[in-house]
Amino acid sequence: GFQRELTRELILSADYIHAFGSKFIIGRFIGSVFNPAIGGNDDVVNIESSVKTWYDGLLLNTEKRFSNRYSFNASYTLQKSFNFSNGDQIPFQVPPLNPNNLRLDKGPPPNEERHRFTFHAVVDMPYEFQLSPIYTLASDVPFDIQLPPDIGGTRIPQLQRNAGGRTFRTGSELNACINEFNTARPVAS
């Protein structure tokens, strides 16, 4: 990154961050076993460190030092991240599509805000009062597009994990993709 003093009170900085993570935990279904406590089968899930993560971010910041009765800080972040964690939270409620091919689950995490802007300031007011506004604007976060529970209750296999809000911005875009996929499929007889 770099930082530049534009004037005596105004500073501009820009930074780029790339991070790659490995060995994050995931719950991988490996079978089921009879559990006498519940009188039925219970899933066996292996908690292992197999997940990789990728993050790239551009951070821009402008800071005005306190002078002439005010100061402010404005920051903008443009980011993109991926992982193939299932559910992105413990407990692992959404299993991988294929426990033997975790790469099928590579997609943005559900808390990724592609764009984020924050602004805060301090302004000296009359009678020794201070005004301190804080504003935060962020883009939408992605979400998974899943089948109803009666047909599996899992992600549509042909779509990237958390494709809603990223690959598809509207319901009509998603419907067009599903219709195209269904048209290309052979008809069962």
Side-chain angles (χ1 to χ4, degrees), residues 45-120:
V45 177
N46 186 41
I47 306 299
E48 58 187 67
S49 53
S50 305
V51 173
K52 293 179 172 57
T53 64
W54 297 263
Y55 175 85
D56 288 286
L58 173 65
L59 295 82
L60 304 173
N61 188 66
T62 302
E63 177 184 354
K64 185 201 176 287
R65 296 181 181 134
F66 194 82
S67 64
N68 301 323
R69 301 172 45 120
Y70 76 99
S71 67
F72 71 83
N73 189 311
S75 299
Y76 170 74
T77 303
L78 171 64
Q79 66 180 347
K80 186 174 187 179
S81 56
F82 289 99
N83 66 33
F84 42 80
S85 176
N86 56 346
D88 303 296
Q89 298 285 331
I90 299 172
F92 308 104
Q93 296 174 350
V94 180
L97 283 175
N98 180 344
N100 299 317
N101 187 359
L102 296 178
R103 294 173 197 247
L104 293 175
D105 283 280
K106 183 178 178 182
N111 60 351
E112 181 203 56
E113 297 171 333
R114 187 65 49 93
H115 305 277
R116 185 172 182 85
F117 174 78
T118 59
F119 175 86
H120 65 87

Side-chain angles (χ1 to χ4, degrees), residues 29-50:
F29 174 79
I30 56 174
S32 61
V33 65
F34 179 76
N35 182 345
I38 63 170
N41 285 343
D42 211 350
D43 289 344
V44 177
V45 177
N46 186 41
I47 306 299
E48 58 187 67
S49 53
S50 305

